[in-house]
Amino acid sequence: MPLISSHYNPPLFFKNGHLATIYAGLFRKVEGLVQKRERLELVDGDFLDLDWSHAAHETTKLVILLHGLEGNAQRPYITGSAKQFHKAGFDACAVNFRSCSGEINRLYRSYHSGATEDLKAVIAHILETKNYSEIVIKGFSLGGNLTLKYLGEGNLIPKEIKAGIAISVPCNLHSSLVALLKPKNSIYAKRFKKHLIAKLRAKQVLFPDLITDEDVRNVKTLKDFDDIYTSKAHGFKDGLDYYTQCSSLQFLEGIQRPALLINAKNDSFLGPECYPYQEVEKNPDLHMEVPLYGGHVGFFGLHNVSYTEERSLKFLEEVL
């Protein structure tokens, strides 16, 4: 409880999940957002780049925005969300995960779907240096998994964290991997692999003893990347162990802040286990909406405002 009835009904063209996904990822443009970068130095010697933007008037409300796999703080789903939150009186802190801000990170490790330690570092920094009394976390895809995992894995959640919103979330990482490796998703898988291998090559320059040419050649699929790099760099046995430990699905019952999960029925990135109907029934703080349409982080809306951008603010009005 509660499973939310969805009334999202986009124009015919955008009822196709692939077209919705591709349009939002490659063709949507969001203009007029001014971001200012802050570098956060981490205790392990690495860094995160935070891109800040602000509401028209001084506020004590903030949204923390978390991007997806190989995304960044300039993606339209991030900047579009920031603009809509500004209209509702929120500042926005868009987090670039390690190596995603245009500069390779310093350590052998990078980012991954379960790295909530970095989100905790961002939150601690904000609470120490800013004056926000109402903070919302909104994540997309990988960032959505991070959001739900953080809220439910047993962290001491600061009182300032009021709610979480998660869009197009691979709640079960292995189920999502299986979906991504299907022929219908080959265009996406190849694109992800291309970007990940480029990052691996850049990392190899810094750590030639840890990443060999053979390692790079052996990355044939996304699963190979997680077996060869993600697991080794972040302390997991292999890719499957990484998926098992970091999937947010197992942590949903622990969420004790209002949280909204929106996963489209026609999201080709998500397998059946990414729609946690049973977990939602058991947790009154977890709300899930499963629109028939939307694709993966698509959700086309009129006037260049996506459905999930509008729905996020409506949800906050309902629960806060």
Side-chain angles (χ1 to χ4, degrees), residues 77-319:
Y77 59 82
I78 295 290
T79 55
S81 290
K83 287 189 72 173
Q84 293 309 305
F85 268 91
H86 292 338
K87 293 179 181 179
F90 284 76
D91 290 344
C93 175
V95 180
N96 295 278
F97 299 138
R98 303 189 195 212
S99 284
C100 292
S101 65
E103 181 178 340
I104 199 75
N105 70 305
R106 299 168 186 149
L107 303 184
Y108 176 51
R109 66 155 296 171
S110 183
Y111 73 100
H112 63 82
S113 298
T116 50
E117 66 272 13
D118 285 354
L119 175 55
K120 286 187 278 189
V122 170
I123 293 170
H125 169 69
I126 290 170
L127 293 177
E128 289 170 4
T129 60
K130 311 292 182 182
N131 188 33
Y132 293 109
S133 59
E134 185 174 326
I135 300 175
V136 174
I137 307 170
K138 183 178 182 182
F140 300 83
S141 195
L142 179 151
N145 188 77
L146 273 172
T147 300
L148 297 176
K149 180 174 179 284
Y150 166 76
L151 290 174
E153 67 183 352
N155 296 302
L156 182 62
I157 308 295
K159 66 181 186 305
E160 292 85 356
I161 305 294
K162 302 300 184 183
I165 299 166
I167 310 298
S168 300
V169 183
C171 302
N172 183 303
L173 295 172
H174 185 255
S175 178
S176 179
L177 173 80
V178 171
L180 270 171
L181 293 182
K182 291 182 177 180
K184 66 178 181 178
N185 286 321
S186 61
I187 185 174
Y188 310 115
K190 288 178 181 178
R191 185 178 177 86
F192 282 135
K193 190 182 81 168
K194 177 183 176 181
H195 288 292
L196 290 169
I197 286 180
K199 291 270 184 75
L200 195 60
R201 286 291 191 189
K203 189 72 69 176
Q204 184 185 21
V205 173
L206 298 175
F207 301 96
D209 295 336
L210 297 176
I211 302 169
T212 66
D213 288 337
E214 184 179 6
D215 287 334
V216 179
R217 287 194 298 269
N218 285 337
V219 178
K220 308 297 184 185
T221 69
L222 296 176
K223 172 66 162 53
D224 295 331
F225 181 84
D226 290 332
D227 282 330
I228 291 168
Y229 173 72
T230 308
S231 57
K232 292 179 181 178
H234 302 98
F236 303 104
K237 295 176 184 177
D238 52 24
L240 186 58
D241 182 47
Y242 158 54
Y243 307 142
T244 300
Q245 291 198 45
C246 293
S247 294
S248 61
L249 182 65
Q250 64 198 305
F251 302 110
L252 297 182
E253 66 179 19
I255 293 175
Q256 297 180 17
R257 293 287 196 281
L260 173 65
L261 167 62
I262 303 179
N263 279 354
K265 199 72 175 176
N266 69 346
D267 187 336
S268 66
F269 288 31
L270 304 183
E273 293 80 8
C274 295
Y275 299 87
Y277 291 101
Q278 292 183 353
E279 288 76 8
V280 169
E281 288 179 0
K282 297 174 183 178
N283 188 343
D285 288 315
L286 179 61
H287 305 68
M288 182 169 70
E289 182 176 344
V290 185
L292 293 176
Y293 315 109
H296 190 74
V297 196
F299 300 100
F300 173 86
L302 298 177
H303 311 296
N304 203 26
V305 178
S306 79
Y307 171 72
T308 55
E309 288 162 8
E310 291 185 323
R311 185 69 187 86
S312 296
L313 293 173
K314 183 179 178 183
F315 172 72
L316 295 179
E317 291 175 359
E318 294 168 350
V319 299

Side-chain angles (χ1 to χ4, degrees), residues 34-47:
V34 177
Q35 293 176 315
K36 183 177 180 180
R37 178 158 294 181
E38 176 190 15
R39 175 153 295 185
L40 172 59
E41 295 289 341
L42 301 171
V43 295
D44 63 7
D46 218 337
F47 67 91

